[in-house]
Each structure stands twice: as structure tokens, then as C-alpha cells.
């Protein structure tokens, strides 16, 4: 458990503040920051002001001051910790928060030069990348470690995610990407480009490219990053290749430059931009709610009531879920103006930062730890086998009797089996989670495995000949959009002749209708359909020239039969069935039955130790893949 580290940084007065003859109301001493309330007439500052204490208070007001905090100093305090966390296998995150013009982008990236990075004053992101490659080149010389580094750079504007490192496919492509959730790795942006980088100069090129692409619509001063949140992510993998099986750590480093935190001025939001402002607020307002809820949690405000953290309410908080209250070593840097004209906004920022100090994260090393144990046990087995061999050789002197060695060998092997089972059971727990969430159950029938789904669903047939898995797409109540990869569809298919939105399937109380989109080739049972078409059990649907799906619609009577015959359940509380027969079953009974099925299947996997079966099910979007 570690608290979020919080730093506050004050910048010099800017031109406008100087022109307004602004008074300096921020004073820093060691870790504390004091703000004084300006008087109404603006001449005298009265009172001691409010004092806040943080992990760091950076005074960057005057370069000539002995306490001046340079970009280098901030990197040494905050950036080093990020690098240390990365090399130890932890996730890390730095979030810059503050009103527009307070110095967020300056701190994260450096002075706003779009075509290059200012070498002298560069910010945390370029310095962290530079430090990463410096350390990699250093470690590569001595350790038997391989490094793999990928970066991505995205922007959230108007609650839409844009890839800052990818060109748009066509002028009509709006480039918006969807956020999805992986059962193991959590929320992620689908189709976000990831770039393998092997040197700092390669990263630098990508940073310059991304910065140039950040949304720039002319909206008053400091447009570059006023309205959008930018997340630069480094995915850093280390593999120790000196023994079998390999030991690896994977860490994700998010470096976040938020949009301006100031309250939106309604007089400046006209037409289309009104929505944008509302959405920007949505991300920041949700961030505020998340931080406040996490701070309550960290401070132990409520011991009886469970505190709900509204991560899902905005794209920003959803993507930063791990960084806020989760598996990450997180730092927040709150940037402020020194001038009296910004008193209210600065006070808000200081309060916000103060609250963030109470957030408690639980970082863990992201390694394949069980693999390490396995590796050690494996080398022990090899050593004991060798001893046994020597002991049985006639006339050879051995340190132990062969009976002792055999016993030791058996013991080590059983330890190895325990480690293997642990490894497998954690994989299996994940599988169970998917089964529970995704309204599907698995059961063994004869020598086969049967996957039951209580909702109407599609099964991919010959969609991809190279694929060794089977995709099952269940159709929730309402509309499901099918098409080739872009941003809006719920089911993504591959194959020639597919449109982005190829067709829509509508499930109303278990009756499913296919709505072909204009110009989309759709065949049902071999006949081309251009009008809405109700699907019947077993229908074969061909979309475009390759993708083929089989429609399956479990009926209420089938479900009832399964219960009566004692076969495993296929129930989900969310199922909507017109006859409502399943609703009469008690939820407790069904859950109990489901649990028993799961236990049976777990035993089966453990008994037969089939690695293929233990690897069952990875889920992307609404697809459940059985490998
Ligand atoms: P934000 O990203 O918070 O909107 P910027 O980082 O773009 O603000 O800063 C606004 C202006 O102030 C920029 O011209 C920037 O160079 C300058 N600035 C910000 N922080 C500092 C600092 N610590 N030292 C010198 N100039 C700064
Ligand atoms: Mg900015």
C-alpha cells in the first residue's frame, strides 16, 4: 500500500499577469505552499493565508532564487521514481493537474515548441524516455536481460479517444477509438497504435509527431492543450533469459497532461463547442468524484457503507482506473499561477491536490512469479536426477544414498506440481470470472466440451481459417452493431466486403431481427437480404464475402429441459425470455448449481491436466473465444 505522491509547482508570472500588475500570493517553504487571499482594493495582502503541505512544493517562480526548482530537479525527484518503478516491474503514473496556462504541459513536455523538443528545458516525458534508454543500454551490458519498449500516445477530447500517432485511414474517418475492458488487463483502447522503440531518438520523433497532432482549434489563449487530456504510455517489458522458464516483468507507465481544470465560462461556449465543454467537464468532474471517493476510502471516512468509485463515468477515469487507487505508483503534480488574479482557481487546485494525498494505491510487481518458482524447482529436479544417475552407477562414490535422493526428488516434484496447480488455478479463476460475467457456462459431454449461452448468440464459422479458436458473440437485449474494425461496432469481423457498420441485430425479448445497412452484402440461409429479416434458430448468416456466422437461439423450453434433466444451468439473471419460465427458479438455486458445475469442471481440468482446456477463454469485446 502506498499513498499517491503529490507535488505542487508554481510558475513565474506571465506577460498578462505582469501587465495587470498582479500581486504574488503564493509562497513556498520546504514542503508547504501558502496562498494569501487578495484584498478587494488589491493593494495590501492581509493575514497569514492558507497553508497546505505536500510531498513536494516546487518554487519555479524565479530562476535566480536559491530555492528555484528547475525541470532537472523535478525529473530527479519525480522522474527517477517512475524509472525505478518501471525497472522493478511496477506500473507508474504521473498526472499533471491545474488550470489552463499554469504549467502542466511545460512540466510534462517542456516549453511549447511543436517541431522540436527544447533540449535545455525539456519536461518529464522526454527526460523519463531518455533515462529509460540510458538505463537500458547500461543494464544490457551486464545482465542477461532483454528489454522491449512500446509507446502509445492518445488524446481524449469531447469524450472521444484519438490516436496521436496514427494517420487517419481516410478524410471521412473521424479516428475515434473505443474503450473496452480486458478481463485480465483491464480497460484499454481498441486499435490504439503501439510503437516499438529502441532508442530515445525514436521516441522523440513520436513525441514530436503526437504533439503536432494534438487538437488545435482556435479558442482563445493557449489552445494547444486547453481542451484535451493527453496520455503518453510506455509499455516496458524485461525478460531475464538466463534460465528456463523465462522470468519477465511488464510495467505500464502513464504520463498524463490533463485539460485545464478551470470552470468553463459559459459565454465562451457556443454552438458545437458547448457539448465539448460539457464533455471536458465530464472527464474532469468525474476525476474529481473519483479522487474524492478514493480520498474518503483512504481516510477511512466510512467503515460501514461501501464507497462506490465512479471510474466508468468518463473515458479518462476509466482508462486511468489502475493509476487511481489501483495497481500503480502514482504521482500527481498540481501546477499553479502565482498571481492574485487566479486566486480562486489556484485555491481549488491546492484543495484538489490536498485531497489526492489521501488516495492509497496498492502497487504490485507485474511478473510471472509462479514461473520463477517453477524455474527454481526445475533446476532442483535436474540436479537431483543427476545425483540419482550417479548413485546408481556401479562403483561410483556418491554423497547421498540413492534412497535419500529418490525421496528428495519426489518431494521436489510434488512441490513442482503444487506450483503448477497454483499457476493453473489462477488461470482457471479468470476463466470462471468470464463465465460468470458473460452469461455462458461450460460443461463436459462425452469427450467434448459444450459451451452454453442463455442469450441468443452467433458462432463464428470459418471467419478466419488461421484461427484455432471458436468465437461466440452473445446478443444482449437491444441493438448490436456488426462491422469491420473501426470505432462503433459491438462485434468486429474480418473478411472482404465488410463495411464499418455492416448490419445491426436487434434483440427484443429474445426475437432477433437483422437490419442490413445500405450497400452491405448480407445473406441469410443463402438468400440475399436487403430488408429487415427475423432470424430463426440455426440460420446461417453470411456478411460480405467471407464472414459466416451461425445463429443460435436457446428457447425457454430448452432451458427448462436442461434444469429438469439435471444438466448444468444456462441461466443468467439478465436473460429476458417471453415465457419467463426461468425466472421462477430461485436465483440461489441456480447460482448453487452454476457453482457446482464450475467445481466439477475445475476438478476435470486438474485431473486431466489438459493445458489446452486450462487456457480456455479469452474475451475481447463481446466475443468469447474457446481455444
Ligand atoms: P498548461 O499546459 O497548464 O495550459 P503551459 O504549460 O502551456 O500551461 O504553460 C503556459 C505558459 O507558461 C507557457 O508559455 C509556458 O512556457 C509557461 N510556463 C509554464 N510553466 C513554466 C515554468 N515553470 N517556467 C517557465 N515558464 C513556464
Ligand atoms: Mg497544456
Amino acid at each position: 500500500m502506498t499513498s499517491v505522491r503529490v507535488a505542487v509547482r508554481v510558475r513565474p508570472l506571465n506577460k498578462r499577469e505582469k501587465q495587470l500588475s498582479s500581486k504574488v500570493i503564493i509562497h513556498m517553504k520546504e514542503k508547504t505552499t501558502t496562498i494569501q487571499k487578495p484584498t478587494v482594493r488589491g493593494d495590501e495582502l492581509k493575514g497569514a493565508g492558507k497553508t497546505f503541505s505536500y510531498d513536494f512544493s516546487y518554487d519555479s517562480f524565479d530562476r535566480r532564487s536559491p530555492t528555484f526548482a528547475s525541470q532537472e530537479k523535478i525529473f530527479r525527484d519525480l522522474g527517477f521514481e517512475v524509472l525505478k518503478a518501471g525497472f522493478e516491474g511496477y506500473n507508474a503514473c504521473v498526472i499533471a493537474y491545474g488550470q489552463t496556462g499554469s504549467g502542466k504541459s511545460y512540466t510534462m513536455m517542456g516549453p511549447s515548441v511543436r517541431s522540436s523538443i527544447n533540449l535545455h528545458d525539456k519536461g518529464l516525458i522526454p527526460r523519463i524516455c531518455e533515462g529509460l534508454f540510458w538505463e537500458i543500454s547500461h543494464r544490457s551490458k551486464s545482465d542477461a536481460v532483454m528489454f522491449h519498449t512500446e509507446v502509445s500516445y492518445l488524446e481524449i477530447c469531447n469524450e472521444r479517444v484519438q490516436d496521436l500517432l496514427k494517420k487517419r485511414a481516410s478524410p471521412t474517418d473521424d479516428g475515434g477509438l473505443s474503450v473496452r475492458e480486458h478481463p485480465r488487463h483491464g480497460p484499454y483502447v481498441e486499435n490504439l497504435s503501439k510503437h516499438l522503440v529502441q532508442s530515445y531518438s525514436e521516441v522523440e520523433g513520436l513525441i514530436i509527431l503526437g504533439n503536432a497532432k494534438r487538437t488545435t482549434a482556435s479558442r482563445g489563449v493557449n489552445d494547444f492543450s486547453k481542451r484535451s487530456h493527453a496520455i503518453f504510455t510506455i509499455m516496458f517489458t524485461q525478460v531475464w533469459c538466463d534460465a528456463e522458464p523465462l522470468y519477465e516483468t511488464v510495467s505500464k507507465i502513464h504520463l498524463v497532461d490533463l485539460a485545464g481544470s478551470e470552470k468553463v465560462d459559459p459565454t465562451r461556449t457556443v454552438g458545437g463547442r458547448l457539448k465539448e465543454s460539457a464533455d471536458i467537464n465530464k472527464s474532469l468532474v468525474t476525476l474529481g468524484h473519483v479522487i474524492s471517493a478514493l480520498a474518503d476510502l483512504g481516510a477511512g471516512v466510512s467503515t460501514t457503507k461501501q464507497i462506490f468509485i465512479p471510474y466508468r463515468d468518463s473515458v479518462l477515469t476509466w482508462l486511468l482506473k489502475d493509476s487511481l487507487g489501483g495497481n500503480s505508483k502514482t504521482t500527481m503534480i498540481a501546477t499553479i499561477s502565482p498571481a492574485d488574479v487566479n486566486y480562486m482557481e489556484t485555491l481549488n487546485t491546492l484543495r484538489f491536490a490536498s485531497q489526492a494525498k489521501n488516495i492509497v494505491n496498492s502497487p504490485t510487481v507485474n511478473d510471472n512469479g509462479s514461473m520463477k518458482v517453477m524455474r527454481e524447482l526445475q533446476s532442483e529436479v535436474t540436479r537431483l536426477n543427476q545425483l540419482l544417475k550417479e548413485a546408481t552407477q556401479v562403483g561410483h562414490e556418491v554423497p547421498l544414498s540413492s534412497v535419500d535422493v529418490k525421496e528428495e526428488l519426489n518431494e521436489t516434484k510434488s512441490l513442482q506440481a503444487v506450483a503448477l496447480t497454483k499457476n493453473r488455478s489462477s488461470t482457471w479463476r479468470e476463466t470462471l470470472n468470464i463465465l460468470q460475467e458473460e452469461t455462458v457456462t461450460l460443461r463436459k459431454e462425452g469427450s467434448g466440451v459444450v459451451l452454453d449461452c442463455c442469450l441468443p448468440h452467433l458462432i463464428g464459422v470459418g471467419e478466419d481459417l488461421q484461427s484455432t479458436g471458436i468465437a461466440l458473440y452473445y446478443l444482449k437485449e437491444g441493438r448490436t452493431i456488426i462491422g469491420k474494425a473501426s470505432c462503433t461496432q459491438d462485434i468486429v469481423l474480418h473478411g472482404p466486403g465488410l463495411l464499418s457498420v455492416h448490419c445491426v441485430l436487434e434483440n427484443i425479448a429474445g426475437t432477433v431481427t437483422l437490419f442490413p445497412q445500405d450497400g452491405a452484402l448480407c445473406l441469410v440461409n443463402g438468400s440475399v437480404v436487403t430488408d429487415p429479416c427475423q432470424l430463426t434458430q440455426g440460420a446461417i448468416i453470411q456478411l460480405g464475402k467471407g464472414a459466416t456466422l451461425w445463429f443460435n437461439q436457446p428457447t425457454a423450453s430448452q432451458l427448462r429441459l436442461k434444469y429438469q434433466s439435471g444438466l448444468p444451468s444456462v441461466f443468467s439473471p439478465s436473460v429476458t425470455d417471453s415465457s419467463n419460465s426461468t425466472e421462477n427458479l430461485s436465483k440461489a438455486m441456480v447460482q448453487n448449481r452454476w457453482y457446482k458445475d464450475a467445481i466439477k469442471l475445475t476438478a476435470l481440468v486438474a485431473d486431466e491436466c489438459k493445458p489446452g482446456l486450462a487456457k480456455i477463454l479469452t474475451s475481447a469485446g463481446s466475443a468469447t473465444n474457446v481455444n
Side-chain angles (χ1 to χ4, degrees):
M1 294 284 197
T2 49
S3 295
V4 166
R5 287 192 317 161
V6 180
V8 167
R9 184 185 201 186
V10 64
R11 62 157 169 74
L13 286 168
N14 65 22
K15 217 166 136 190
R16 185 175 153 269
E17 289 161 349
K18 280 181 191 159
Q19 277 166 0
L20 291 169
S21 308
S22 303
K23 291 241 162 354
V24 174
I25 55 164
I26 298 296
H27 298 283
M28 288 176 164
K29 196 171 172 207
E30 291 162 4
K31 294 183 173 186
T32 62
T33 299
T34 303
I35 182 167
Q36 283 180 295
K37 189 173 183 175
T39 53
V40 183
R41 282 185 294 120
D43 40 22
E44 281 293 304
L45 292 172
K46 283 191 190 145
K50 284 191 178 64
T51 299
F52 297 84
S53 180
Y54 303 101
D55 295 299
F56 302 93
S57 282
Y58 291 120
D59 182 356
S60 302
F61 176 73
D62 182 1
R63 271 182 194 275
R64 292 161 305 175
S65 158
T67 54
F68 177 74
S70 63
Q71 297 279 68
E72 169 70 23
K73 159 89 179 139
I74 285 165
F75 169 65
R76 271 192 275 116
D77 286 350
L78 308 182
F80 270 16
E81 283 299 312
V82 169
L83 286 172
K84 186 166 171 278
F87 279 99
E88 287 172 356
Y90 291 99
N91 295 334
C93 176
V94 181
I95 303 175
Y97 180 93
Q99 79 176 111
T100 299
S102 60
K104 296 180 297 297
S105 302
Y106 182 90
T107 301
M108 295 307 289
M109 208 49 99
S112 48
V113 185
R114 284 184 208 187
S115 55
S116 67
I117 290 173
N118 183 316
L119 285 180
H120 192 62
D121 267 344
K122 60 180 178 274
L124 270 177
I125 296 178
R127 280 175 201 264
I128 286 171
C129 294
E130 204 174 28
L132 184 81
F133 284 103
W134 188 90
E135 189 63 25
I136 286 176
S137 69
H138 191 68
R139 292 193 184 204
S140 305
K141 284 180 202 144
S142 49
D143 300 346
V145 195
M146 286 192 316
F147 301 94
H148 181 91
T149 313
E150 286 181 339
V151 298
S152 61
Y153 197 9
L154 65 85
E155 176 183 59
I156 303 165
C157 194
N158 202 9
E159 283 300 284
R160 293 173 62 79
V161 182
Q162 301 276 346
D163 191 333
L164 290 172
L165 299 179
K166 199 160 85 178
K167 282 204 182 101
R168 289 181 186 179
S170 70
T172 50
D173 172 20
D174 68 2
L177 303 175
S178 312
V179 178
R180 297 198 184 275
E181 186 173 15
H182 187 277
R184 196 169 359 145
H185 307 302
Y188 69 100
V189 178
E190 193 179 43
N191 294 326
L192 180 71
S193 65
K194 289 184 189 137
H195 302 256
L196 176 68
V197 280
Q198 279 158 336
S199 66
Y200 171 66
S201 62
E202 282 180 26
V203 191
E204 195 185 61
L206 292 170
I207 292 174
I208 293 168
L209 181 78
N211 286 352
K213 218 182 147 192
R214 279 192 75 177
T215 304
T216 52
S218 55
R219 297 182 190 95
V221 290
N222 199 340
D223 307 319
F224 182 50
S225 56
K226 186 174 178 178
R227 301 279 177 208
S228 71
H229 312 280
I231 306 180
F232 184 84
T233 304
I234 305 169
M235 278 117 340
F236 179 56
T237 307
Q238 301 172 93
V239 184
W240 279 262
C241 37
D242 52 352
E244 276 292 317
L246 303 176
Y247 175 66
E248 69 169 38
T249 61
V250 182
S251 61
K252 209 180 250 189
I253 301 171
H254 287 311
L255 303 168
V256 188
D257 182 4
L258 294 175
S261 60
E262 63 277 4
K263 304 269 172 300
V264 175
D265 174 1
T267 58
R268 299 192 60 178
T269 53
V270 283
R273 290 195 196 131
L274 190 62
K275 181 176 179 330
E276 186 178 321
S277 303
D279 282 337
I280 287 297
N281 270 347
K282 186 174 170 188
S283 271
L284 280 170
V285 167
T286 308
L287 181 69
H289 291 161
V290 165
I291 285 184
S292 145
L294 287 170
D296 285 354
L297 206 64
V301 166
S302 170
T303 46
T304 46
K305 208 176 79 187
Q306 212 187 342
I307 296 176
F308 172 72
I309 318 289
Y311 291 113
R312 278 177 182 264
D313 286 2
S314 81
V315 170
L316 177 78
T317 48
W318 191 216
L319 285 178
L320 294 182
K321 186 169 169 262
D322 250 351
S323 308
L324 301 164
N327 174 18
S328 166
K329 294 195 171 191
T330 297
T331 302
M332 173 175 288
I333 178 149
T335 54
I336 52 173
S337 145
D340 56 357
V341 285
N342 291 315
Y343 173 75
M344 267 328 289
E345 286 303 340
T346 302
L347 186 61
N348 285 341
T349 302
L350 293 175
R351 283 185 176 143
F352 189 86
S354 204
Q355 201 175 34
K357 282 194 309 182
N358 292 327
I359 299 177
V360 179
N361 278 8
S362 43
T364 47
V365 173
N366 305 304
D367 65 355
N368 52 348
S370 54
M371 281 299 167
K372 194 178 173 194
V373 177
M374 285 294 294
R375 191 177 63 184
E376 282 159 8
L377 289 170
Q378 184 60 47
S379 69
E380 187 60 8
V381 167
T382 313
R383 189 185 71 82
L384 291 169
N385 265 330
Q386 183 61 28
L387 273 179
L388 198 60
K389 215 162 117 194
E390 286 169 9
T392 49
Q393 277 172 5
V394 192
H396 203 286
E397 260 194 39
V398 287
L400 290 165
S401 82
S402 63
V403 177
D404 289 340
V405 175
K406 265 187 187 158
E407 263 176 22
E408 208 177 325
L409 184 61
N410 282 342
E411 210 173 293
T412 312
K413 279 188 171 168
S414 66
L415 278 175
Q416 205 174 10
V418 169
L420 191 71
T421 312
K422 260 193 189 166
N423 196 17
R424 205 160 273 158
S425 69
S426 79
T427 313
W428 182 240
R429 248 194 320 276
E430 272 167 32
T431 308
L432 289 186
N433 286 343
I434 296 171
L435 289 173
Q436 209 157 20
E437 273 173 25
E438 308 286 352
T439 67
V440 290
T441 56
L442 264 177
R443 64 190 156 85
K444 179 134 168 83
E445 213 171 79
S447 56
V449 175
V450 180
L451 185 68
D452 288 314
C453 178
C454 54
L455 293 173
H457 54 271
L458 301 167
I459 297 191
V461 187
E463 186 198 322
D464 177 359
L465 293 177
Q466 301 302 313
S467 165
T468 52
I470 299 161
L472 181 147
Y473 307 101
Y474 54 84
L475 304 169
K476 287 188 177 145
E477 184 77 7
R479 285 156 61 88
T480 300
I481 301 172
I482 305 182
K484 72 172 181 191
S486 75
C487 57
T488 41
Q489 58 300 87
D490 305 298
I491 297 177
V492 176
L493 296 178
H494 306 279
L498 280 167
L499 307 183
S500 295
V501 177
H502 199 90
C503 64
V504 175
L505 294 187
E506 195 172 61
N507 174 11
I508 297 177
T511 301
V512 178
T513 310
L514 183 148
F515 293 85
Q517 298 299 290
D518 280 350
L521 177 63
C522 301
L523 287 87
V524 175
N525 294 330
S527 309
V528 173
V529 289
T530 48
D531 295 321
C533 166
Q534 190 179 322
L535 298 178
T536 51
Q537 163 61 24
I540 302 288
I541 306 163
Q542 191 191 323
L543 302 176
K545 293 187 184 138
T548 307
L549 300 156
W550 173 51
F551 175 68
N552 197 13
Q553 189 176 31
T555 60
S557 54
Q558 280 175 324
L559 290 168
R560 193 167 38 233
L561 267 177
K562 275 184 199 228
Y563 282 110
Q564 283 163 358
S565 66
L567 282 171
S569 67
V570 285
F571 176 80
S572 150
S574 65
V575 69
T576 311
D577 190 293
S578 47
S579 73
N580 273 341
S581 62
T582 53
E583 280 173 10
N584 298 332
L585 290 161
S586 94
K587 199 171 165 185
M589 175 187 147
V590 171
Q591 276 172 351
N592 187 26
R593 186 181 283 272
W594 190 94
Y595 180 70
K596 278 186 194 155
D597 296 342
I599 297 291
K600 258 192 250 162
L601 204 62
T602 312
L604 197 90
V605 174
D607 280 357
E608 300 185 9
C609 273
K610 284 181 182 160
L613 198 57
K615 230 173 59 172
I616 291 167
L617 294 173
T618 52
S619 165
S622 60
T624 301
N625 220 318
V626 186
N627 282 309

